[in-house]
Amino acid sequence: DRTRAEALDTKGCALEDRAWLLKDPTRFDPTDGGYQEADKVFRQALRQEDDVARPEPYIHRGRNLFKWAEDQTNSGSLIGTPPPALLKDAGEALGEALKRLDKAPNPYLRAEANYWLGQVAVQDRGQALGERQWADVRAATTRAAGHFAE
């Protein structure tokens, strides 16, 4: 069934990879570029979920938004959504994934969410992430390094 959340995850990941790896010149188009199409599919997957939603679509969406922002910055493109807005949305999606992982722990998914949140923090350089998100990134980094956060 193509409308199942897992099927939407797979479709979104394929669209994301096509935009990111193949570097189609229209990938930044705000209406039907590759990253936008992937984001639409990931948002559709989020709507398939209930109160105990899987964290995966949030991780996928955050990763896609990060790659979009990074790719757009590196290419110098001025088309579409500005990278700080993409990074802010990416941080929020990944933060939501981590909240959901508090309810249903999975160390592999937590590691992936923390990795991409760290990438967002590095790319952001203090522009879009709020102080709370920065604190979460620092705490997660400390835990991931095997230390206890204060």
Side-chain angles (χ1 to χ4, degrees):
D1 179 8
R2 291 185 217 186
T3 62
R4 286 190 50 181
E6 293 86 356
L8 293 169
D9 288 350
T10 302
K11 180 179 179 182
C13 289
L15 291 167
E16 172 190 345
D17 285 349
R18 188 175 72 192
W20 187 53
L21 297 171
L22 298 181
K23 305 290 189 219
D24 182 322
T26 64
R27 67 191 180 277
F28 304 123
D29 188 293
T31 54
D32 62 357
Y35 291 113
Q36 179 64 34
E37 288 297 312
D39 190 51
K40 286 178 189 174
V41 171
F42 292 137
R43 284 184 282 127
Q44 185 180 358
L46 296 176
R47 290 190 299 272
Q48 299 292 319
E49 301 297 334
D50 56 21
D51 290 342
V52 291
R54 301 172 310 116
E56 288 93 329
Y58 293 93
I59 295 170
H60 295 320
R61 182 166 191 252
R63 182 192 60 238
N64 178 62
L65 292 169
F66 164 76
K67 288 180 180 179
W68 183 354
E70 181 185 52
D71 191 8
Q72 192 166 336
T73 298
N74 291 342
S75 74
S77 174
L78 299 175
I79 298 171
T81 308
L86 295 169
L87 292 172
K88 180 179 184 299
D89 290 347
E92 289 172 0
L94 293 163
E96 181 61 31
L98 290 170
K99 286 180 195 171
R100 290 168 185 274
L101 284 163
D102 287 340
K103 295 175 186 170
N106 179 318
Y108 302 108
L109 293 177
R110 181 171 293 282
E112 183 178 2
N114 281 323
Y115 172 80
W116 289 111
L117 191 56
Q119 293 296 312
V120 168
V122 168
Q123 184 75 18
D124 177 64
R125 296 182 183 94
Q127 296 174 22
L129 293 181
E131 185 55 38
R132 174 70 183 153
Q133 285 178 305
W134 270 106
D136 290 347
V137 169
R138 287 190 300 272
T141 302
T142 302
R143 284 191 305 276
H147 303 285
F148 293 103
E150 296 182 356

